[in-house]
Amino acid sequence: STVVLVFQAPTGNSPDGSSSSSDYRFCVKQGDRVRVGQALGRWKEE
Amino acid sequence: SSSINNIRSNRRTFSSLGGGSGGGGTGDSNGNAFLLPGATVATILMLGALHGRRLYEDKKIEEKRERGIELEFHQDVKASFLGILPLRSISRAWGSLTSVEIPVWMRPFVYKAWSRAFHSNLEEAKLPLEEYASLRDFFVRSLKEGCRPIDPDPRCLVSPVDGTVLRFGELKESRGMIEQVKGHSYSVPALLGTNSLLPMVPEGKDESGEEAVGDKGDKSWLRVSLASPKLRGSISASPMKGLYYCVIYLRPGDYHRIHSPADWNALVRRHFAGRLFPVNERATRTIKNLYVENERVVLEGIWKQGFMALAAVGATNIGSIQLFIEPELRTNKPKKKLFPTEPPEERVYDPQGQGVKLEKGKEVGVFNMG
């Protein structure tokens, strides 16, 4: 079985498209084994 | 010709004796004697050959992967063959089989064998093995307290399940498409439902200047239609939000309860009665629109950062998706005819606009066999 998550999160993209530190960033890689409760990604609140 | 004559005369002799079943070395009874072992050996050889071929193909795939070659979508005969099988009925039969109660003394042996075959961790099971009456009960077992600590950081989203990350990323220029495998993608509205709450334009962006996610000309992307206009208002237009996705595959041996990835309110539930193709790695490479075709339950709502959706997609061996917030929901029900374009069964949770509050890490539902 499979679970697909789709969600909005902060993106600090400025109009010129460069990302900023408050971007949501995934902290997993493709193929990683994850467990319930483990962080998939974080953002920083500026 | 002499040996054929011989056999014929033998056969005649045998029939004139009234075909007695006694042995005595008549050619025909010998032939019969070889039939069963012969068929058994032939079957074993065939299964062995199939398994050998599977191992060889897996080895080749592994070698490609090690060389950094990403496998592409490639429909094959097996995928087409799966398309004509009655997978839902097979899944329900599997569910009935696994619901058979197992004698108490046998249960530890059966569950240990399962855990050895599918790499499950028996130590984490909440109850003693003897207390799981059937394999199906064992499959949806809870875990001991503390086995899955929830990341306390308020600025993070946590995994709702145990599994393997297949895909993840931001839906930016990709026009709301998620790559199932290199060479084939499916659209997020097709996965979540064409009347999803999904705000497909990242908020805070100027629609006219930049290319919106989804083409303005193609209305089906941008149409946000909700059961009631009031719901629409509940998704606040806050600046600088992006749309992200993550696809997680659960192996048969994984813990199969689904937890909440964050504090959010589930506003709408959509149930798509669909196919039940396998969703293993091979199937993602060979079956088109796997997650859009398969039976699934979608929960949509809002969290402090905006839109949130969780789609639980079933598979052949896991056709049941149960929601603890809606125990009466049944999936994988017998249907006379299954129309691929059959609209999903939708329910807006009360109270409207608030829905059901789900806390980060709490149990939301469970996948089950059959």
Side-chain angles (χ1 to χ4, degrees), chain B residues 17 21 57 65 92 106 113 147 261 309 330:
Chain B
L17 288 175
S21 61
E57 280 179 4
R65 196 171 280 135
R92 283 193 295 277
M106 242 174 97
C147 284
R330 285 286 171 275

Side-chain angles (χ1 to χ4, degrees), chain A residues 35-39, chain B residues 148-152 156 158-161 259 360-361:
Chain A
R35 301 175 110 193
V36 166
Q38 176 186 336
Chain B
R148 292 292 180 276
I150 308 301
D151 190 312
C156 86
V158 297
S159 177
V161 287
H259 294 243
K360 184 177 179 179

Side-chain angles (χ1 to χ4, degrees), chain A residues 10-28:
Chain A
T11 176
N13 287 358
S14 53
D16 60 10
S18 61
S19 62
S20 89
S21 64
S22 67
D23 258 8
Y24 174 84
R25 290 182 194 276
F26 281 97
C27 50
V28 290

Side-chain angles (χ1 to χ4, degrees), chain B residues 2 4-20 26-28:
Chain B
S2 58
I4 288 174
N5 279 338
N6 227 358
I7 288 173
R8 276 199 191 123
S9 61
N10 269 346
R11 192 175 289 158
R12 263 201 297 284
T13 313
F14 178 72
S15 57
S16 62
L17 288 175
T26 53
D28 237 354

